[in-house]
Amino acid sequence: VLGIDLGKNIYHLFGVNEQGRPVLRKKLKRKEFLNYLANLPPCLIGMEACGGSNHWAREIAKLGHEVKLMAPQLVKPYVKGNKNDFNDAEGICEAVSRPSMRFVEIKTIEQQDIQALHRIRQSLVKSRTALSNQIRGLLAEYGIVVGKGLSQVRKRIPEILEDGENGLTAQFRRWLRQQLEAFYGLDAQIKEHTKEIEVICRENETSRRLKAIPGLGAQGATAIVAAYGNASHYSSGRQFAASIGLVPRQNSTGGKSVLLGISKRGDKYIRTLLIHGARAVITHLGDKQDKRSRWLRALVGRRGVNRAAVALANKNARTIWALLTRGDHYQMA
């Protein structure tokens, strides 16, 4: 068993034999890393899930080793003494051999491509929001108030630039026009990436099956496929929903169960997509009479829209796990 503490250019290895006795403790440079592992007999290799870990996991697996990735917070309890690279590698070596350890699925190149597209689009959306807020803030200093929302920026800024009686200087108008052009540029990039996500969803069979779930569009379907693959690392739908942070957080002791709000663990981006999708379903609920709609309408009446949205997101997460693991198609109840 071999534990590897990954770095940018330096890698620390700690290995034990079949009896658990330490037999290897080595520091390697990047160019030496794969060559050294290629000369070792087949090992169980553990690494923390971090930047570059999926790449190294795929490359090391090609050498005949069994590779497991683990969340850093699950490895931390096994690190003894003060923190240093060799102690981290030893803790990883200990953690990967535990029968109860939970592992992270190794992503394929295709999954990483889809996830990269989502990350880029998400960053552009944040930049556009920041830019629109800046434009409104600057105009407020000149006594001009623009309402909230991107549609207000698209509508009002051209009007403000055309208005010659609002007291804005020629210099500020020029700067404001540049800001508006940057805003339109971000708009165009976001639309382009959104179309790419829709194309990927149409071409990917798994994404098409997931998209059939009410409240899960192309964006959510492709993001889930990129992050979780076939969800084989999860033993149940509840465990899958818990990994996204959609189950109650516990603070139980002395035999007394105390359940709080949702744990908000895991991928915030996917959790947000699921909850916003659930809100959209509730908004368009109307007078539908299928079993799911009746349950949701009654839940909204008892617990309110927000709790109902989280409950539906939780139900959708469990449905997603079933479709991913069994290869089934969604059927409305």
Side-chain angles (χ1 to χ4, degrees):
V1 181
L2 185 65
I4 302 177
D5 182 53
L6 297 174
K8 291 181 180 178
N9 297 304
I10 301 295
Y11 305 87
H12 294 78
L13 285 62
F14 184 91
V16 298
N17 60 16
E18 294 178 353
Q19 290 75 39
R21 299 180 184 277
V23 293
L24 189 147
R25 180 184 171 96
K26 197 165 186 66
K27 175 180 175 182
L28 296 172
K29 294 182 179 179
R30 187 182 186 91
K31 61 183 180 181
E32 306 168 332
F33 184 53
L34 284 180
N35 288 335
Y36 183 83
L37 293 178
N39 293 320
L40 291 179
C43 302
L44 169 62
I45 295 180
M47 299 184 294
E48 289 181 331
C50 60
S53 60
N54 286 288
H55 164 73
W56 287 122
R58 291 191 299 267
E59 293 299 315
I60 295 171
K62 293 176 183 177
L63 303 176
H65 301 293
E66 181 183 1
V67 186
K68 301 282 189 180
L69 298 182
M70 299 164 288
Q73 63 266 29
L74 300 184
V75 174
K76 185 64 176 176
Y78 296 94
V79 178
K80 298 189 289 289
N82 296 320
K83 174 177 170 53
N84 62 56
D85 295 326
F86 278 118
N87 281 352
D88 288 346
E90 183 178 354
I92 293 168
C93 182
E94 178 70 21
V96 74
S97 60
R98 296 299 91 197
S100 60
M101 178 56 60
R102 297 195 295 269
F103 299 105
V104 177
E105 185 176 6
I106 300 170
K107 291 182 177 61
T108 64
I109 286 288
E110 291 74 18
Q111 285 178 283
Q112 284 192 245
D113 282 347
I114 298 172
Q115 194 169 64
L117 177 59
H118 277 274
R119 295 289 185 265
I120 292 168
R121 184 187 178 278
Q122 185 184 17
S123 175
L124 292 171
V125 169
K126 288 181 179 179
S127 297
R128 184 179 62 179
T129 302
L131 183 58
S132 67
N133 289 339
Q134 184 186 55
I135 290 172
R136 281 200 296 271
L138 291 172
L139 286 170
E141 296 291 338
Y142 289 84
I144 301 174
V145 176
V146 178
K148 292 182 179 180
L150 300 176
S151 61
Q152 287 292 314
V153 174
R154 297 188 186 100
K155 177 184 176 182
R156 290 290 314 283
I157 304 306
E159 295 175 355
I160 292 169
L161 287 170
E162 292 298 324
D163 185 1
E165 305 299 326
N166 53 22
L168 297 181
T169 64
Q171 281 183 326
F172 183 77
R173 288 177 189 277
R174 177 164 55 85
W175 298 330
L176 183 60
R177 188 173 288 106
Q178 292 173 351
Q179 293 291 83
L180 183 61
E181 289 173 358
F183 180 86
Y184 287 152
L186 290 171
D187 252 352
Q189 291 183 67
I190 291 168
K191 288 179 182 177
E192 180 183 349
H193 290 322
T194 301
K195 290 179 181 177
E196 289 181 302
I197 288 173
E198 291 171 353
V199 170
I200 291 171
C201 185
R202 288 196 299 269
E203 294 178 349
N204 186 284
E205 189 269 338
T206 305
S207 295
R208 289 200 305 272
R209 287 192 289 108
L210 295 184
K211 190 183 175 184
I213 301 173
L216 195 68
Q219 196 173 336
T222 53
I224 287 169
V225 169
Y228 300 105
N230 59 11
S232 60
H233 280 65
Y234 300 96
S235 60
S236 66
R238 188 192 185 285
Q239 191 181 90
F240 181 73
S243 74
I244 305 175
L246 290 170
V247 300
R249 181 166 54 90
Q250 286 197 41
N251 188 22
S252 305
T253 185
K256 181 179 180 182
S257 296
V258 179
L259 300 180
L260 308 173
I262 59 173
S263 65
K264 296 185 179 180
R265 293 180 178 175
D267 195 322
K268 179 181 177 181
Y269 178 66
I270 291 178
R271 183 171 62 252
T272 301
L273 291 176
L274 287 174
I275 292 177
H276 284 346
R279 289 185 191 280
V281 172
I282 293 172
T283 300
H284 297 89
L285 196 57
D287 58 352
K288 297 176 183 177
Q289 294 303 317
D290 57 277
K291 183 178 179 181
R292 185 188 185 95
S293 297
R294 292 198 305 271
W295 165 78
L296 191 55
R297 192 179 295 110
L299 186 60
V300 170
R302 292 196 315 271
R303 304 296 289 168
V305 172
N306 290 335
R307 289 188 177 92
V310 174
L312 181 57
N314 188 315
K315 180 185 282 289
N316 283 346
R318 297 176 185 226
T319 304
I320 288 166
W321 175 84
L323 297 186
L324 289 175
T325 55
R326 300 170 189 169
D328 295 338
H329 291 269
Y330 177 77
Q331 296 179 354
M332 178 69 77

